[in-house]
Amino acid sequence: MTENSNSTNFALFNLGFRPFFLGAVLYSIIAVAVWMMIYAFNFSMPMGNLSIFQWHAHEMIFGYSLAVIAGFLLTAVKNWTGIQTLYGIRLFTLFILWATARFLFLLGATFISYALILDLLFIASLIVVTTAPVFKSRNYRQLGILSKLLLLGIANLCFYLGYIGTLDQGMYWGIYGGLYLVIGLILTLGGRVIPFFTESGVGYPVQLYNPKWITIAGLLVFLVFFVSELFLQSGLLSGYLAVALFIIYFIRLVGWYTPGIWKKPLLWSLHVAMLFIIIGFLLFAVSVFSDVSQLIAIHAMAYGGIGMVTVSMMARVSLGHTGRNVNKPPGLVNFIMVTLLAGAVVRVFLPLLTSDYYLVWIMISQILWIIAFLLFAMLYVPIWCRPRIDGQPG
């Protein structure tokens, strides 16, 4: 097969976003459905030293989120460097490493030692194949983004070392380190692309307020927050830093606002996702100084933030890299985003209003997540599996 050949009608392994977005979406449906069976219906799985909450967190971070990141980076690095990234059998092999580890995790902790090997081999391989083109092209500006991939690999290693008893706080460092690294990656990439997408996508001339000092201040404060949460575990310091992060990123998001976003589902969804992350910082601070559960803050960032931004980016990247118009997505996309937003509202805000129906709110949010992702899969699986409509490679 020649480079990204379109000589066949089956194009799933022509470029990185295709298999990894498909895998991420399908796995998120399965993993959340299994989580609902465990959490709401007391379905039993052999967990060993792993709690059900650690299983859920690990798979949403290093299963779902990392697959989206892999698909995005394998595609973006080609754009950044002009150098072809994995395709064909090599891309298939990388995908199988990820997919097999996910299958093993669906069996609980029975085969976790094998999942460990496959997971770490997958991340190590992903780091190599995404950084090599950057060094070859000397496009060192992208190393800041790719360094977070290395840190995600270290976080996952910590998780496994914690599970086998080698590292006392390994599972805590792995899960929360992984979560905040994904959030940090979204904040960094969001600062790059959301203003650009907004200015070019609303259909009228607009120049958004996006000063460099906000980006620098946000990253520095977030770094201290990261260290405080993982290593100092100083609740009071983390609380004050979360307040600072809320203020900084709220100012940035207000500066990005223009009314035209509401006519574009792939714009308003990104803005709302960033808003949920910002609200997550505020709720985190509230949890430090009150009896509000920190899990509410975590799910504001994870469900509303990571969930919405990943679906929005997958929708956009998949359209753009198959020759379609990113400013005119299929009509169902708007409904998918509204469904996901409804799930985030139910998961984050309804438990704050009344905890009497906490299990009900969790189940409704799980069902809405599954519905949104099922619809997304129905709409985008054909796009991922078929060649570009413009006949170009990719």
Side-chain angles (χ1 to χ4, degrees), residues 181-224:
L181 283 167
V182 174
I183 295 295
L185 186 60
I186 290 172
L187 292 173
T188 302
L189 283 172
R192 286 193 190 184
V193 302
I194 294 177
F196 171 74
F197 289 163
T198 303
E199 289 176 348
S200 61
V202 291
Y204 54 82
V206 62
Q207 185 171 2
L208 304 179
Y209 179 72
N210 193 37
K212 193 172 183 179
W213 71 264
I214 288 184
T215 300
I216 295 172
L219 290 177
L220 289 176
V221 176
F222 185 80
L223 177 61
V224 181

Side-chain angles (χ1 to χ4, degrees), residues 84-358:
Q84 176 65 45
T85 51
L86 294 189
Y87 68 95
I89 188 64
R90 293 187 298 165
L91 178 57
F92 172 78
T93 303
L94 184 67
F95 176 74
I96 287 297
L97 290 175
W98 172 85
T100 307
R102 306 287 66 79
F103 172 75
L104 295 177
F105 256 98
L106 288 175
L107 303 177
T110 305
F111 301 103
I112 198 169
S113 58
Y114 298 104
L116 181 159
I117 296 168
L118 293 169
D119 243 355
L120 298 181
L121 184 58
F122 162 68
I123 297 177
S125 301
L126 180 62
I127 291 168
V128 170
V129 299
T130 51
T131 54
V134 169
F135 280 106
K136 187 174 181 180
S137 65
R138 298 183 180 180
N139 192 351
Y140 302 126
R141 178 173 179 263
Q142 312 304 337
L143 289 178
I145 299 294
L146 295 176
S147 66
K148 292 182 175 64
L149 188 58
L150 174 62
L151 292 173
L152 277 167
I154 294 172
N156 206 13
L157 175 62
C158 287
F159 173 86
Y160 285 116
L161 291 177
Y163 177 82
I164 63 179
T166 304
L167 193 61
D168 287 343
Q169 296 193 74
M171 285 196 283
Y172 175 85
W173 288 342
I175 289 171
Y176 283 92
L179 171 68
Y180 292 129
L181 283 167
V182 174
I183 295 295
L185 186 60
I186 290 172
L187 292 173
T188 302
L189 283 172
R192 286 193 190 184
V193 302
I194 294 177
F196 171 74
F197 289 163
T198 303
E199 289 176 348
S200 61
V202 291
Y204 54 82
V206 62
Q207 185 171 2
L208 304 179
Y209 179 72
N210 193 37
K212 193 172 183 179
W213 71 264
I214 288 184
T215 300
I216 295 172
L219 290 177
L220 289 176
V221 176
F222 185 80
L223 177 61
V224 181
F225 173 82
F226 182 88
V227 172
S228 174
E229 268 299 278
L230 257 65
F231 306 113
L232 303 180
Q233 295 180 23
S234 170
L236 192 61
L237 175 60
S238 296
Y240 286 121
L241 290 167
V243 172
L245 287 168
F246 167 76
I247 294 170
I248 291 169
Y249 285 115
F250 185 76
I251 292 171
R252 185 173 78 163
L253 189 60
V254 170
W256 292 349
Y257 179 74
T258 181
I261 63 171
W262 301 113
K263 296 180 180 179
K264 306 285 185 176
L266 297 186
L267 289 181
W268 71 253
S269 54
L270 288 174
H271 285 254
V272 170
M274 295 300 294
L275 179 61
F276 264 96
I277 292 175
I278 295 167
I279 291 172
F281 288 131
L282 179 62
L283 290 172
F284 183 97
V286 171
S287 74
V288 171
F289 302 109
S290 72
D291 60 354
V292 170
S293 172
Q294 192 179 106
L295 288 176
I296 300 294
I298 295 300
H299 282 87
M301 298 181 190
Y303 194 131
I306 297 174
M308 289 196 69
V309 82
T310 49
V311 172
S312 185
M313 287 301 295
M314 284 191 288
R316 172 179 285 272
V317 169
S318 300
L319 293 176
H321 287 274
T322 57
R324 294 170 170 85
N325 189 342
V326 297
N327 293 315
K328 294 182 179 180
L332 189 58
V333 168
N334 197 58
F335 181 77
I336 291 169
M337 294 303 177
V338 170
T339 303
L340 205 54
L341 173 58
V345 169
V346 170
R347 181 61 185 87
V348 175
F349 297 111
L350 293 191
L352 289 174
L353 296 177
T354 171
S355 59
D356 294 341
Y357 302 99
Y358 188 77

Side-chain angles (χ1 to χ4, degrees), residues 16-38:
F17 76 92
R18 293 175 177 271
F20 280 105
F21 287 0
L22 181 145
V25 169
L26 296 183
Y27 186 66
S28 79
I29 296 168
I30 297 169
V32 172
V34 171
W35 174 236
M36 182 166 63
M37 291 170 62
I38 293 171

